Amino acid sequence: MSTQSLPWRKSSYSNEAGTCVEVSEGPVTRVRDNQNLHVEPLDFTPGAGAHFLRGLHTD
């Protein structure tokens, strides 16, 4: 999939220290690390993206 997709935005899961997770939403949700743009983003279908986020939550 091309990295030329919908615009990227800073995720609410990012921190204030400049370590950011960026998200591009469309038919496929793309997730990337803004400090490692040379690494391919992760691509998620809507259901897989929600499942991934639920797995990140810790109590």
Side-chain angles (χ1 to χ4, degrees):
M1 179 175 287
S2 168
T3 56
Q4 300 298 321
S5 56
L6 296 174
W8 292 93
R9 67 173 177 79
K10 181 178 174 181
S11 170
S12 61
Y13 289 92
S14 298
N15 67 32
E16 297 302 320
T19 305
C20 299
V21 173
E22 295 179 329
V23 178
S24 178
E25 296 177 291
V28 173
T29 298
R30 308 191 85 208
V31 180
R32 70 181 181 188
D33 176 352
N34 76 325
Q35 297 193 1
N36 292 295
L37 297 178
H38 63 282
V39 176
E40 284 292 316
L42 300 175
D43 294 342
F44 295 99
T45 62
H51 182 75
F52 175 76
L53 291 175
R54 280 193 304 274
L56 294 177
H57 277 210
T58 58
D59 294 322

Short mmCIF file of all heavy atoms in Angstrom, two decimals:
data_model
loop_
_atom_site.label_atom_id
_atom_site.label_comp_id
_atom_site.label_asym_id
_atom_site.label_seq_id
_atom_site.Cartn_x
_atom_site.Cartn_y
_atom_site.Cartn_z
N MET A 1 0.84 -1.18 0.00
CA MET A 1 0.00 0.00 0.00
C MET A 1 0.88 1.23 0.00
O MET A 1 1.89 1.30 0.68
CB MET A 1 -0.90 -0.02 1.24
CG MET A 1 -1.79 1.21 1.31
SD MET A 1 -2.94 1.14 2.67
CE MET A 1 -4.05 -0.09 2.04
N SER A 2 0.52 2.22 -0.73
CA SER A 2 1.29 3.45 -0.81
C SER A 2 1.22 4.24 0.49
O SER A 2 0.19 4.28 1.15
CB SER A 2 0.73 4.31 -1.96
OG SER A 2 1.26 5.61 -1.89
N THR A 3 2.34 4.88 0.84
CA THR A 3 2.33 5.73 2.03
C THR A 3 1.66 7.06 1.73
O THR A 3 1.44 7.85 2.62
CB THR A 3 3.76 5.97 2.55
OG1 THR A 3 4.55 6.52 1.50
CG2 THR A 3 4.38 4.69 3.07
N GLN A 4 1.32 7.32 0.47
CA GLN A 4 0.58 8.52 0.10
C GLN A 4 -0.90 8.24 0.32
O GLN A 4 -1.60 7.80 -0.56
CB GLN A 4 0.85 8.90 -1.36
CG GLN A 4 2.30 9.17 -1.66
CD GLN A 4 2.84 10.35 -0.87
OE1 GLN A 4 2.15 11.35 -0.68
NE2 GLN A 4 4.05 10.24 -0.39
N SER A 5 -1.37 8.46 1.53
CA SER A 5 -2.76 8.18 1.87
C SER A 5 -3.40 9.45 2.40
O SER A 5 -2.95 10.54 2.11
CB SER A 5 -2.82 7.04 2.89
OG SER A 5 -2.06 7.36 4.02
N LEU A 6 -4.42 9.30 3.16
CA LEU A 6 -5.07 10.45 3.77
C LEU A 6 -4.10 11.15 4.71
O LEU A 6 -3.10 10.56 5.13
CB LEU A 6 -6.33 9.99 4.51
CG LEU A 6 -7.41 9.39 3.62
CD1 LEU A 6 -8.55 8.83 4.45
CD2 LEU A 6 -7.93 10.43 2.64
N PRO A 7 -4.39 12.41 5.07
CA PRO A 7 -3.45 13.14 5.94
C PRO A 7 -3.19 12.42 7.27
O PRO A 7 -4.06 11.75 7.80
CB PRO A 7 -4.16 14.47 6.19
CG PRO A 7 -5.17 14.59 5.11
CD PRO A 7 -5.55 13.19 4.72
N TRP A 8 -1.98 12.60 7.77
CA TRP A 8 -1.59 12.04 9.06
C TRP A 8 -1.93 13.03 10.15
O TRP A 8 -1.84 14.23 9.97
CB TRP A 8 -0.09 11.75 9.08
CG TRP A 8 0.31 10.65 8.16
CD1 TRP A 8 0.74 10.79 6.86
CD2 TRP A 8 0.31 9.25 8.43
NE1 TRP A 8 1.01 9.55 6.32
CE2 TRP A 8 0.76 8.59 7.27
CE3 TRP A 8 -0.01 8.49 9.55
CZ2 TRP A 8 0.89 7.22 7.20
CZ3 TRP A 8 0.12 7.12 9.48
CH2 TRP A 8 0.56 6.49 8.30
N ARG A 9 -2.33 12.52 11.32
CA ARG A 9 -2.59 13.37 12.48
C ARG A 9 -1.96 12.72 13.71
O ARG A 9 -1.77 11.50 13.75
CB ARG A 9 -4.08 13.58 12.70
CG ARG A 9 -4.83 12.33 13.10
CD ARG A 9 -6.28 12.62 13.47
NE ARG A 9 -6.98 11.41 13.78
CZ ARG A 9 -6.91 10.73 14.92
NH1 ARG A 9 -6.14 11.16 15.89
NH2 ARG A 9 -7.60 9.62 15.10
N LYS A 10 -1.63 13.56 14.69
CA LYS A 10 -1.05 13.04 15.93
C LYS A 10 -2.13 12.29 16.70
O LYS A 10 -3.22 12.79 16.91
CB LYS A 10 -0.51 14.21 16.76
CG LYS A 10 0.14 13.78 18.04
CD LYS A 10 0.69 15.00 18.77
CE LYS A 10 1.23 14.61 20.12
NZ LYS A 10 1.74 15.77 20.85
N SER A 11 -1.80 11.10 17.11
CA SER A 11 -2.74 10.28 17.86
C SER A 11 -2.88 10.77 19.30
O SER A 11 -1.93 11.30 19.89
CB SER A 11 -2.25 8.83 17.87
OG SER A 11 -3.01 8.06 18.79
N SER A 12 -4.03 10.55 19.88
CA SER A 12 -4.23 10.89 21.30
C SER A 12 -3.40 9.99 22.20
O SER A 12 -3.25 10.27 23.39
CB SER A 12 -5.72 10.78 21.66
OG SER A 12 -6.17 9.45 21.46
N TYR A 13 -2.81 8.93 21.67
CA TYR A 13 -1.96 8.03 22.44
C TYR A 13 -0.51 8.54 22.50
O TYR A 13 0.33 7.91 23.10
CB TYR A 13 -2.00 6.62 21.86
CG TYR A 13 -3.31 5.94 22.09
CD1 TYR A 13 -4.33 6.02 21.16
CD2 TYR A 13 -3.54 5.22 23.26
CE1 TYR A 13 -5.55 5.40 21.38
CE2 TYR A 13 -4.75 4.60 23.49
CZ TYR A 13 -5.75 4.69 22.54
OH TYR A 13 -6.94 4.09 22.78
N SER A 14 -0.21 9.67 21.88
CA SER A 14 1.13 10.23 21.88
C SER A 14 1.40 10.97 23.18
O SER A 14 0.48 11.36 23.89
CB SER A 14 1.28 11.20 20.71
OG SER A 14 1.11 10.53 19.49
N ASN A 15 2.69 11.20 23.46
CA ASN A 15 3.03 11.95 24.67
C ASN A 15 3.55 13.33 24.30
O ASN A 15 3.76 13.64 23.14
CB ASN A 15 4.02 11.17 25.55
CG ASN A 15 5.38 11.00 24.92
OD1 ASN A 15 5.84 11.84 24.17
ND2 ASN A 15 6.03 9.90 25.22
N GLU A 16 3.78 14.15 25.30
CA GLU A 16 4.20 15.53 25.07
C GLU A 16 5.71 15.66 24.84
O GLU A 16 6.20 16.74 24.58
CB GLU A 16 3.78 16.40 26.26
CG GLU A 16 2.27 16.47 26.44
CD GLU A 16 1.55 17.00 25.22
OE1 GLU A 16 2.05 17.95 24.57
OE2 GLU A 16 0.49 16.45 24.88
N ALA A 17 6.46 14.59 24.97
CA ALA A 17 7.91 14.64 24.82
C ALA A 17 8.35 14.58 23.36
O ALA A 17 9.55 14.50 23.08
CB ALA A 17 8.54 13.49 25.61
N GLY A 18 7.42 14.60 22.44
CA GLY A 18 7.76 14.55 21.02
C GLY A 18 7.76 13.15 20.44
O GLY A 18 7.99 12.98 19.25
N THR A 19 7.54 12.16 21.27
CA THR A 19 7.42 10.79 20.78
C THR A 19 5.97 10.60 20.37
O THR A 19 5.10 10.51 21.21
CB THR A 19 7.80 9.78 21.88
OG1 THR A 19 9.11 10.10 22.32
CG2 THR A 19 7.77 8.36 21.36
N CYS A 20 5.74 10.61 19.08
CA CYS A 20 4.36 10.63 18.60
C CYS A 20 4.01 9.40 17.77
O CYS A 20 4.83 8.89 17.00
CB CYS A 20 4.13 11.85 17.73
SG CYS A 20 4.36 13.41 18.57
N VAL A 21 2.80 9.00 17.94
CA VAL A 21 2.19 8.02 17.06
C VAL A 21 1.27 8.82 16.16
O VAL A 21 0.48 9.62 16.62
CB VAL A 21 1.40 6.97 17.86
CG1 VAL A 21 0.63 6.05 16.93
CG2 VAL A 21 2.32 6.18 18.76
N GLU A 22 1.42 8.63 14.85
CA GLU A 22 0.57 9.33 13.89
C GLU A 22 -0.37 8.33 13.23
O GLU A 22 0.00 7.17 13.02
CB GLU A 22 1.41 10.05 12.84
CG GLU A 22 2.25 11.15 13.45
CD GLU A 22 3.12 11.85 12.43
OE1 GLU A 22 3.55 11.22 11.44
OE2 GLU A 22 3.37 13.05 12.63
N VAL A 23 -1.57 8.80 12.92
CA VAL A 23 -2.62 7.95 12.37
C VAL A 23 -3.16 8.58 11.10
O VAL A 23 -3.33 9.79 11.02
CB VAL A 23 -3.77 7.78 13.40
CG1 VAL A 23 -4.89 6.94 12.85
CG2 VAL A 23 -3.25 7.20 14.70
N SER A 24 -3.42 7.75 10.11
CA SER A 24 -4.10 8.16 8.88
C SER A 24 -5.30 7.23 8.74
O SER A 24 -5.14 6.01 8.63
CB SER A 24 -3.16 8.02 7.69
OG SER A 24 -3.83 8.37 6.49
N GLU A 25 -6.48 7.82 8.78
CA GLU A 25 -7.70 7.00 8.76
C GLU A 25 -8.39 7.05 7.41
O GLU A 25 -8.47 8.09 6.78
CB GLU A 25 -8.64 7.46 9.86
CG GLU A 25 -8.04 7.26 11.24
CD GLU A 25 -8.91 7.77 12.35
OE1 GLU A 25 -9.06 9.00 12.45
OE2 GLU A 25 -9.44 6.94 13.09
N GLY A 26 -8.88 5.92 7.00
CA GLY A 26 -9.60 5.76 5.75
C GLY A 26 -10.15 4.35 5.74
O GLY A 26 -10.44 3.79 6.80
N PRO A 27 -10.28 3.72 4.58
CA PRO A 27 -10.73 2.33 4.53
C PRO A 27 -9.81 1.42 5.35
O PRO A 27 -10.24 0.42 5.90
CB PRO A 27 -10.68 1.97 3.05
CG PRO A 27 -10.71 3.28 2.34
CD PRO A 27 -10.07 4.28 3.25
N VAL A 28 -8.53 1.80 5.42
CA VAL A 28 -7.54 1.12 6.25
C VAL A 28 -6.95 2.18 7.17
O VAL A 28 -6.65 3.29 6.74
CB VAL A 28 -6.43 0.49 5.38
CG1 VAL A 28 -5.31 -0.06 6.23
CG2 VAL A 28 -7.00 -0.59 4.48
N THR A 29 -6.82 1.86 8.46
CA THR A 29 -6.18 2.77 9.39
C THR A 29 -4.69 2.48 9.39
O THR A 29 -4.28 1.33 9.55
CB THR A 29 -6.75 2.59 10.81
OG1 THR A 29 -8.13 2.91 10.78
CG2 THR A 29 -6.05 3.49 11.81
N ARG A 30 -3.89 3.53 9.18
CA ARG A 30 -2.44 3.39 9.13
C ARG A 30 -1.85 4.04 10.38
O ARG A 30 -2.30 5.10 10.79
CB ARG A 30 -1.89 4.04 7.88
CG ARG A 30 -2.64 3.53 6.63
CD ARG A 30 -2.00 3.91 5.37
NE ARG A 30 -0.98 2.88 5.14
CZ ARG A 30 0.13 3.10 4.47
NH1 ARG A 30 0.39 4.25 3.95
NH2 ARG A 30 1.00 2.12 4.31
N VAL A 31 -0.86 3.42 10.98
CA VAL A 31 -0.22 3.91 12.20
C VAL A 31 1.28 3.93 11.97
O VAL A 31 1.85 2.95 11.49
CB VAL A 31 -0.57 3.00 13.41
CG1 VAL A 31 0.09 3.51 14.68
CG2 VAL A 31 -2.07 2.90 13.59
N ARG A 32 1.92 5.07 12.34
CA ARG A 32 3.37 5.15 12.18
C ARG A 32 3.99 5.90 13.36
O ARG A 32 3.34 6.65 14.06
CB ARG A 32 3.76 5.84 10.87
CG ARG A 32 3.45 7.32 10.84
CD ARG A 32 3.83 7.94 9.52
NE ARG A 32 3.55 9.38 9.52
CZ ARG A 32 3.64 10.15 8.46
NH1 ARG A 32 4.01 9.63 7.30
NH2 ARG A 32 3.38 11.43 8.54
N ASP A 33 5.28 5.69 13.54
CA ASP A 33 6.09 6.39 14.53
C ASP A 33 6.70 7.60 13.84
O ASP A 33 7.44 7.44 12.87
CB ASP A 33 7.17 5.43 15.04
CG ASP A 33 8.15 6.05 16.02
OD1 ASP A 33 8.13 7.28 16.23
OD2 ASP A 33 8.95 5.29 16.57
N ASN A 34 6.43 8.80 14.34
CA ASN A 34 6.91 9.99 13.65
C ASN A 34 8.42 10.14 13.70
O ASN A 34 8.99 10.92 12.96
CB ASN A 34 6.24 11.25 14.19
CG ASN A 34 6.79 11.67 15.54
OD1 ASN A 34 7.14 10.84 16.37
ND2 ASN A 34 6.83 12.97 15.76
N GLN A 35 9.11 9.39 14.55
CA GLN A 35 10.56 9.49 14.63
C GLN A 35 11.25 8.40 13.81
O GLN A 35 12.48 8.36 13.77
CB GLN A 35 11.00 9.45 16.09
CG GLN A 35 10.45 10.65 16.84
CD GLN A 35 11.09 10.84 18.19
OE1 GLN A 35 11.98 10.10 18.59
NE2 GLN A 35 10.64 11.85 18.89
N ASN A 36 10.48 7.55 13.18
CA ASN A 36 11.03 6.48 12.34
C ASN A 36 10.23 6.36 11.05
O ASN A 36 9.67 5.31 10.75
CB ASN A 36 11.02 5.14 13.11
CG ASN A 36 12.01 5.15 14.24
OD1 ASN A 36 13.21 5.22 14.03
ND2 ASN A 36 11.51 5.10 15.46
N LEU A 37 10.18 7.45 10.30
CA LEU A 37 9.36 7.48 9.09
C LEU A 37 9.86 6.53 8.00
O LEU A 37 9.13 6.24 7.06
CB LEU A 37 9.26 8.91 8.56
CG LEU A 37 8.57 9.90 9.50
CD1 LEU A 37 8.56 11.29 8.89
CD2 LEU A 37 7.16 9.44 9.85
N HIS A 38 11.10 6.05 8.14
CA HIS A 38 11.63 5.10 7.15
C HIS A 38 11.04 3.69 7.33
O HIS A 38 11.13 2.86 6.44
CB HIS A 38 13.16 5.03 7.25
CG HIS A 38 13.64 4.53 8.58
ND1 HIS A 38 13.67 5.33 9.71
CD2 HIS A 38 14.07 3.31 8.97
CE1 HIS A 38 14.11 4.62 10.73
NE2 HIS A 38 14.36 3.39 10.32
N VAL A 39 10.41 3.45 8.48
CA VAL A 39 9.78 2.16 8.75
C VAL A 39 8.35 2.19 8.20
O VAL A 39 7.62 3.17 8.40
CB VAL A 39 9.75 1.87 10.28
CG1 VAL A 39 9.02 0.58 10.58
CG2 VAL A 39 11.17 1.85 10.83
N GLU A 40 7.96 1.14 7.52
CA GLU A 40 6.60 1.06 6.96
C GLU A 40 5.56 1.18 8.07
O GLU A 40 5.72 0.58 9.14
CB GLU A 40 6.40 -0.27 6.23
CG GLU A 40 7.06 -0.33 4.88
CD GLU A 40 6.41 0.59 3.86
OE1 GLU A 40 5.17 0.65 3.79
OE2 GLU A 40 7.17 1.25 3.15
N PRO A 41 4.49 1.93 7.83
CA PRO A 41 3.42 2.02 8.84
C PRO A 41 2.69 0.68 8.98
O PRO A 41 2.73 -0.16 8.08
CB PRO A 41 2.48 3.08 8.28
CG PRO A 41 2.93 3.40 6.92
CD PRO A 41 4.24 2.74 6.66
N LEU A 42 2.04 0.52 10.11
CA LEU A 42 1.17 -0.64 10.33
C LEU A 42 -0.18 -0.33 9.72
O LEU A 42 -0.70 0.77 9.88
CB LEU A 42 1.01 -0.92 11.82
CG LEU A 42 2.29 -1.22 12.60
CD1 LEU A 42 1.97 -1.34 14.09
CD2 LEU A 42 2.93 -2.50 12.09
N ASP A 43 -0.77 -1.27 9.03
CA ASP A 43 -2.09 -1.11 8.41
C ASP A 43 -3.09 -2.01 9.13
O ASP A 43 -2.81 -3.18 9.37
CB ASP A 43 -2.06 -1.49 6.93
CG ASP A 43 -1.20 -0.55 6.10
OD1 ASP A 43 -0.90 0.56 6.57
OD2 ASP A 43 -0.85 -0.93 4.97
N PHE A 44 -4.25 -1.44 9.47
CA PHE A 44 -5.29 -2.17 10.18
C PHE A 44 -6.63 -1.98 9.50
O PHE A 44 -6.99 -0.86 9.13
CB PHE A 44 -5.44 -1.66 11.63
CG PHE A 44 -4.24 -1.89 12.49
CD1 PHE A 44 -3.33 -0.88 12.71
CD2 PHE A 44 -4.04 -3.11 13.11
CE1 PHE A 44 -2.23 -1.07 13.53
CE2 PHE A 44 -2.95 -3.32 13.92
CZ PHE A 44 -2.03 -2.30 14.14
N THR A 45 -7.39 -3.06 9.37
CA THR A 45 -8.80 -2.93 9.00
C THR A 45 -9.50 -2.34 10.23
O THR A 45 -8.96 -2.37 11.33
CB THR A 45 -9.41 -4.29 8.65
OG1 THR A 45 -9.34 -5.13 9.80
CG2 THR A 45 -8.71 -4.94 7.46
N PRO A 46 -10.71 -1.79 10.09
CA PRO A 46 -11.38 -1.19 11.26
C PRO A 46 -11.48 -2.13 12.46
O PRO A 46 -11.16 -1.75 13.58
CB PRO A 46 -12.75 -0.80 10.71
CG PRO A 46 -12.50 -0.54 9.26
CD PRO A 46 -11.47 -1.56 8.85
N GLY A 47 -11.88 -3.36 12.26
CA GLY A 47 -12.01 -4.30 13.37
C GLY A 47 -10.67 -4.66 13.99
O GLY A 47 -10.53 -4.75 15.21
N ALA A 48 -9.65 -4.84 13.17
CA ALA A 48 -8.32 -5.20 13.67
C ALA A 48 -7.71 -4.03 14.45
O ALA A 48 -7.04 -4.24 15.46
CB ALA A 48 -7.41 -5.61 12.53
N GLY A 49 -7.95 -2.80 14.00
CA GLY A 49 -7.43 -1.64 14.71
C GLY A 49 -8.03 -1.51 16.09
O GLY A 49 -7.32 -1.24 17.07
N ALA A 50 -9.33 -1.71 16.22
CA ALA A 50 -9.99 -1.65 17.53
C ALA A 50 -9.46 -2.76 18.44
O ALA A 50 -9.20 -2.53 19.63
CB ALA A 50 -11.50 -1.76 17.35
N HIS A 51 -9.28 -3.95 17.90
CA HIS A 51 -8.75 -5.07 18.68
C HIS A 51 -7.33 -4.76 19.17
O HIS A 51 -6.99 -5.01 20.33
CB HIS A 51 -8.77 -6.34 17.84
CG HIS A 51 -8.30 -7.55 18.55
ND1 HIS A 51 -9.06 -8.20 19.49
CD2 HIS A 51 -7.13 -8.22 18.47
CE1 HIS A 51 -8.38 -9.22 19.96
NE2 HIS A 51 -7.20 -9.26 19.36
N PHE A 52 -6.50 -4.19 18.31
CA PHE A 52 -5.13 -3.81 18.66
C PHE A 52 -5.14 -2.81 19.82
O PHE A 52 -4.40 -2.96 20.79
CB PHE A 52 -4.43 -3.23 17.43
CG PHE A 52 -3.05 -2.71 17.71
CD1 PHE A 52 -1.99 -3.57 17.89
CD2 PHE A 52 -2.82 -1.34 17.76
CE1 PHE A 52 -0.71 -3.09 18.12
CE2 PHE A 52 -1.55 -0.85 18.00
CZ PHE A 52 -0.49 -1.72 18.19
N LEU A 53 -5.96 -1.77 19.72
CA LEU A 53 -6.02 -0.75 20.78
C LEU A 53 -6.49 -1.32 22.10
O LEU A 53 -5.97 -0.96 23.16
CB LEU A 53 -6.90 0.43 20.35
CG LEU A 53 -6.33 1.28 19.22
CD1 LEU A 53 -7.34 2.34 18.81
CD2 LEU A 53 -5.00 1.92 19.62
N ARG A 54 -7.45 -2.20 22.07
CA ARG A 54 -7.91 -2.84 23.32
C ARG A 54 -6.78 -3.62 23.98
O ARG A 54 -6.65 -3.65 25.20
CB ARG A 54 -9.11 -3.76 23.06
CG ARG A 54 -10.42 -3.04 22.94
CD ARG A 54 -11.60 -4.00 22.99
NE ARG A 54 -11.56 -5.04 21.97
CZ ARG A 54 -12.01 -4.94 20.73
NH1 ARG A 54 -12.57 -3.82 20.34
NH2 ARG A 54 -11.93 -5.96 19.90
N GLY A 55 -5.93 -4.21 23.18
CA GLY A 55 -4.80 -4.97 23.71
C GLY A 55 -3.72 -4.11 24.32
O GLY A 55 -2.93 -4.58 25.13
N LEU A 56 -3.68 -2.82 24.00
CA LEU A 56 -2.69 -1.92 24.55
C LEU A 56 -3.06 -1.40 25.93
O LEU A 56 -2.19 -0.97 26.67
CB LEU A 56 -2.49 -0.71 23.63
CG LEU A 56 -1.87 -0.99 22.26
CD1 LEU A 56 -1.81 0.29 21.46
CD2 LEU A 56 -0.50 -1.61 22.39
N HIS A 57 -4.31 -1.41 26.27
CA HIS A 57 -4.76 -0.89 27.56
C HIS A 57 -4.22 -1.73 28.70
O HIS A 57 -4.26 -2.95 28.67
CB HIS A 57 -6.28 -0.85 27.63
CG HIS A 57 -6.84 0.38 26.98
ND1 HIS A 57 -8.00 0.93 27.39
CD2 HIS A 57 -6.38 1.16 26.00
CE1 HIS A 57 -8.25 2.01 26.67
NE2 HIS A 57 -7.27 2.15 25.81
N THR A 58 -3.71 -1.04 29.70
CA THR A 58 -3.27 -1.72 30.91
C THR A 58 -3.99 -1.11 32.10
O THR A 58 -4.33 0.06 32.11
CB THR A 58 -1.75 -1.58 31.11
OG1 THR A 58 -1.41 -0.20 31.17
CG2 THR A 58 -0.98 -2.26 29.99
N ASP A 59 -4.24 -1.91 33.10
CA ASP A 59 -4.93 -1.40 34.29
C ASP A 59 -3.96 -1.02 35.37
O ASP A 59 -2.89 -1.46 35.49
CB ASP A 59 -5.90 -2.47 34.84
CG ASP A 59 -7.01 -2.72 33.83
OD1 ASP A 59 -7.47 -1.77 33.19
OD2 ASP A 59 -7.40 -3.89 33.69
#
